[in-house]
Amino acid sequence: MDKAEFAAIEPTGGVGTAADGSSVTGRPATRPTAQRALFAGPSPLVSDDMYVTVKGTVDRERTRVRLGRRSRVETDTYFGRFPASYWQRWTAVTEVEFVAEVDGDGRIELVATDARGRRRIVATTTVSSNGAPATVTVSTPIDRFVDGGALFARISTGSGELAVENARWTVPAPKSLRPAAVVICTFNRADDCAATLAAMADDPIALADVQSVYVIDQGTDRVETRQEFQRVASELGDKLVYITQPNLGGAGGFTRGLYEVAGSARNPGANIVFMDDDVLCEPEAVVRLNMFANCTVEPAIVGAQMLYLLHPDRVHVGAEVADLQRLQAGLEVKNALADKSTLKKQQDIRVDAGYNGWWSCLIPSEVVEKVGYPLPLFFQWDDIEYGYRSRANGVATVTLPGAAVWHADFAWKDWDEWHRYFNLRNAMITAALHTELDGKALAKQLRTDLFRYLVSMQYGMAFTLIKAVEDFLRGPEFLHDGGMEAAAAIRRERAEYGETIRHNANNVPGLRPADMFITPAGPHPRKSLEWAVLAKRIVNQWRGRLPAHPVAIPSSDAHWWHVSLFSHAVVTDASQEGVRVRKRDKERAVALLRRGVRALQALKKETPAVSLRYREAMPQLTSRENWARLYGK
């Protein structure tokens, strides 16, 4: 059913009572949709059980389900639940209606859960369309959900059959309904970007409240060359805005969307929805993020959760925080779903997020006016910094359960990559801006990391750490070009370290496949003994008291305390697409150690002064004028 057909549906009445005893017959379908009740996923890669669970004879389609006799459908699933606790906490909405077009006989029940996951029926209606399609509406208050709980629908049949389609959860219309402007940032992922754009364009209901779709193309392999993009462009017409620019990373790409939307009469007051280019897109996420943001009591950043692309039924993290002093991000908020099957467990307890990743995240235009634009960090920690800066300015971040996209699994990305430079450098910048960064404690922490990299023969990683510290200490002036120089330099300089290069497992330079034998790791050293073990490894590496023959080490066993037992190790890359060769190089290790000690000594002494410089430069760095300069405006 397309957008026009959906809008033309007229309610023809239903039968039943809501929890408050009022009639649910013939209520007008004039309220906006907060979320749709979908019955199947957008791709065959996704289990339909993430949307509804079934019992008996049930035929499922994306927006329609047909139940045979004595059958049941429940939306007590990841995408099927209505996150009532979040609506009660963050919005002024006090009641919600479940609306559906029905044909046949059966029963619809609304079931609530509490923070402990206990169920209770809160509304019920008997469906009897008497041989003619009808619209049924069931209403229930949004109360008793402050600490947690959700709503879901249970649809069942007895001796008859029942078809249900275009089911949705509706809420009272807010004073104003701001449209959404979707921003997709891409760099040489033309096919992925075209597919993401097509997924949105092919769902006209999800796209109904989207005023504009911006594609910010920073690559050399242009998205506009793809046939799928050209098809979508002809369908979207003026709604699609395609912009090309030099590669300024994710920060520069997404900020271009903020720049175009917040400063343009084309989308006045719009909610800007960021969307990564390499996701499996669930267009429904845009519906849920935008309506929730329209109903919040105060403007808030509203983020989607991230599901694993390679394991589609798993949530990566339901809500995240960062430990700024320790430069740790992606920390699971207690009671949020983390790497758990969404087919087995649902999130009942409401949690607060410190920030939300920009794989899919909504930022209202007025937040940009209040907080400013992101920092020109190129990528990594730009979303974290913006989330913490917003919180400091009274703008909360809400990670909304049931709004999500599928993204490449982080665990399948090797840590020893060039982007680790930006992760470290930008983490230090963020910490300097939003906490009293303790340079001495940080230097001690990074010293341990440096020693571990060196004894593990990860010389490229040791260099990356040192380079990140040195460039952080250079101060905010180093961000003048938006990170383009730093991105080019770190990739060029890391290439000088052989273990940063990935090889085919059957074509390792200088080795035959039979030369390596898998050598698993022993138990992890007790925490109290880690420094003693590290000191022993350093001595043995220094003196060369190590086996000379090569060994093969699985990615899961590539711990510093294991790899450092050898002088020649072939380590499986976390991507499982190849291996990396680590070989002892005493001369290189000594040179890196000396350089690293100098950098860490400077970090201990200069952190307070450098932090002050970043804070003083913040207004200029995050200004519209600075980004206009970077965009050549």
Side-chain angles (χ1 to χ4, degrees):
M1 177 172 292
D2 64 23
K3 182 166 53 180
E5 291 173 323
F6 182 82
I9 292 175
E10 294 291 340
T12 55
V15 182
T17 57
D20 60 4
S22 63
S23 170
V24 296
T25 302
R27 289 186 178 178
T30 58
R31 295 154 45 111
T33 297
Q35 70 178 56
R36 292 178 292 175
L38 300 171
F39 305 112
S43 166
L45 297 174
V46 177
S47 170
D48 291 343
D49 288 347
M50 294 186 71
Y51 293 80
V52 291
T53 57
V54 302
K55 183 177 181 180
T57 304
V58 178
D59 180 27
R60 288 183 277 190
E61 300 174 23
R62 176 75 164 160
T63 60
R64 186 177 188 273
V65 65
R66 185 168 186 85
L67 292 78
R69 296 178 179 180
R70 297 176 180 84
S71 299
R72 185 175 68 192
V73 167
E74 283 191 352
T75 69
D76 185 24
T77 60
Y78 179 80
F79 286 110
R81 282 183 159 205
F82 181 85
S85 180
Y86 287 77
W87 279 84
Q88 181 173 347
R89 168 62 180 86
W90 295 106
T91 78
V93 173
T94 58
E95 56 89 19
V96 63
E97 291 181 350
F98 182 81
V99 184
E101 278 72 54
V102 300
D103 187 0
D105 303 312
R107 175 172 292 277
I108 298 177
E109 299 169 322
L110 300 188
V111 184
T113 66
D114 60 19
R116 296 184 180 181
R118 297 173 299 195
R119 298 180 172 189
R120 64 187 188 277
I121 297 175
V122 292
T124 180
T125 180
T126 299
V127 176
S128 181
S129 62
N130 299 317
T135 297
V136 173
T137 301
V138 188
S139 176
T140 187
I142 298 181
D143 58 3
R144 304 177 187 273
F145 294 106
V146 172
D147 286 338
L151 290 163
F152 66 90
R154 179 185 294 148
I155 306 169
S156 59
T157 58
S159 58
E161 298 181 348
L162 178 64
V164 178
E165 64 180 315
N166 299 317
R168 63 258 188 210
W169 300 84
T170 69
V171 294
K175 292 181 179 179
S176 63
L177 279 171
R178 298 187 298 271
V182 176
V183 178
I184 303 174
C185 167
T186 187
F187 175 76
N188 288 346
R189 287 175 173 158
D191 293 327
D192 289 339
C193 183
T196 299
L197 186 63
M200 296 187 58
D202 292 341
D203 190 333
I205 305 303
L207 211 60
D209 293 327
V210 175
Q211 196 169 68
S212 298
V213 180
Y214 290 81
V215 175
I216 314 300
D217 193 342
Q218 304 185 116
T220 54
D221 183 12
R222 298 294 194 191
V223 181
E224 62 183 341
T225 64
R226 298 307 195 265
Q227 186 175 357
E228 185 76 336
F229 176 86
Q230 295 167 6
R231 174 187 71 83
V232 172
S234 65
E235 294 177 3
L236 292 180
D238 292 341
K239 183 173 283 192
L240 176 64
V241 182
Y242 181 68
I243 297 173
T244 62
Q245 67 181 32
N247 183 22
L248 290 165
F254 282 127
T255 300
R256 183 61 182 270
L258 293 181
Y259 181 91
E260 296 293 333
V261 175
S264 170
R266 177 189 179 98
N267 301 280
N271 292 322
I272 303 123
V273 181
F274 292 163
M275 187 75 68
D276 263 355
D277 57 352
D278 60 343
V279 299
L280 173 56
C281 180
E282 172 49 89
E284 174 66 11
V286 177
V287 176
R288 300 183 184 189
L289 294 178
N290 193 49
M291 187 52 63
F292 188 88
N294 273 314
C295 294
T296 55
V297 175
E298 296 180 347
I301 296 173
V302 185
Q305 296 182 342
M306 195 195 89
L307 308 176
Y308 279 139
L309 185 59
L310 296 177
H311 304 88
D313 65 338
R314 303 182 80 87
V315 177
H316 173 47
V317 174
E320 296 180 311
V321 291
D323 184 335
L324 299 183
Q325 174 61 48
R326 297 185 61 82
L327 311 184
Q328 294 178 341
L331 301 178
E332 174 196 350
V333 174
K334 183 181 179 182
N335 297 317
L337 287 173
D339 197 27
K340 295 184 175 72
S341 172
T342 62
L343 302 182
K344 298 178 180 178
K345 186 180 185 299
Q346 305 302 329
Q347 178 184 336
D348 282 302
I349 298 175
R350 183 180 58 78
V351 298
D352 289 332
Y355 65 93
N356 202 96
W358 284 352
W359 48 75
S360 185
C361 184
L362 181 151
I363 301 176
S365 293
E366 55 262 52
V367 172
V368 182
E369 297 171 3
K370 183 176 185 179
V371 176
Y373 289 83
L375 276 170
L377 297 176
F378 197 77
F379 82 144
Q380 301 282 328
W381 281 74
D382 45 347
D383 45 10
I384 300 172
E385 189 283 322
Y386 200 78
Y388 277 93
R389 183 170 12 130
S390 297
R391 174 75 69 168
N393 283 274
V395 178
T397 293
V398 182
T399 299
L400 187 65
V405 294
W406 289 269
H407 194 283
D409 300 26
F410 288 162
W412 289 63
K413 295 183 178 182
D414 204 279
W415 197 234
D416 190 355
E417 291 287 356
W418 65 275
H419 57 70
R420 178 62 174 147
Y421 161 84
F422 285 100
N423 187 285
L424 281 169
R425 190 203 70 176
N426 295 348
M428 287 186 277
I429 293 173
T430 302
L433 290 169
H434 299 293
T435 188
E436 294 298 326
L437 183 60
D438 186 338
K440 293 181 180 179
L442 180 58
K444 182 179 179 181
Q445 172 187 325
L446 294 180
R447 181 189 64 188
T448 300
D449 292 340
L450 177 63
F451 286 164
R452 289 176 176 178
Y453 294 150
L454 291 175
V455 299
S456 302
M457 300 169 287
Q458 287 182 286
Y459 304 121
M461 272 294 284
F463 167 78
T464 302
L465 183 152
I466 296 166
K467 178 76 170 171
V469 172
E470 292 173 342
D471 287 352
F472 165 71
L473 294 175
R474 290 173 66 177
E477 297 79 12
F478 190 51
L479 304 178
H480 179 78
D481 71 341
M484 289 190 287
E485 176 194 336
I490 191 63
R491 280 185 276 196
R492 181 179 64 251
E493 293 166 348
R494 274 179 54 89
E496 299 176 8
Y497 298 88
E499 82 283 351
T500 66
I501 301 171
R502 189 170 63 204
H503 304 278
N504 185 296
N506 291 315
N507 190 24
V508 179
L511 293 176
R512 298 167 300 178
D515 290 339
M516 302 167 285
F517 199 82
I518 294 176
T519 307
H524 195 293
R526 292 203 304 270
K527 192 169 184 61
S528 60
L529 297 177
E530 282 188 2
W531 261 103
V533 172
L534 179 58
K536 183 178 180 180
R537 298 289 192 273
I538 292 172
V539 170
N540 288 340
Q541 282 278 338
W542 177 265
R543 295 180 176 178
R545 296 177 178 176
L546 305 163
H549 60 82
V551 297
I553 298 179
S555 176
S556 59
D557 286 335
H559 311 293
W560 65 265
W561 41 267
H562 179 55
V563 179
S564 56
L565 291 170
F566 311 98
S567 62
H568 192 175
V570 180
V571 180
T572 304
D573 191 80
S575 69
Q576 297 295 310
E577 294 178 347
V579 297
R580 304 191 189 207
V581 181
R582 304 188 198 174
K583 297 182 71 173
R584 176 177 173 268
D585 187 333
K586 181 178 178 180
E587 183 178 346
R588 173 162 275 179
V590 170
L592 286 167
L593 178 61
R594 288 173 177 168
R595 182 175 172 180
V597 169
R598 287 196 300 270
L600 294 177
Q601 287 290 346
L603 183 67
K604 286 196 290 187
K605 296 176 182 179
E606 299 174 22
T607 291
V610 172
S611 297
L612 180 60
R613 288 169 58 197
Y614 278 109
R615 291 176 182 176
E616 290 175 342
M618 168 74 87
Q620 188 277 326
L621 288 171
T622 61
S623 68
R624 181 173 178 85
E625 292 74 20
N626 187 47
W627 281 105
R629 177 186 60 81
L630 289 169
Y631 297 138
K633 295 290 188 179

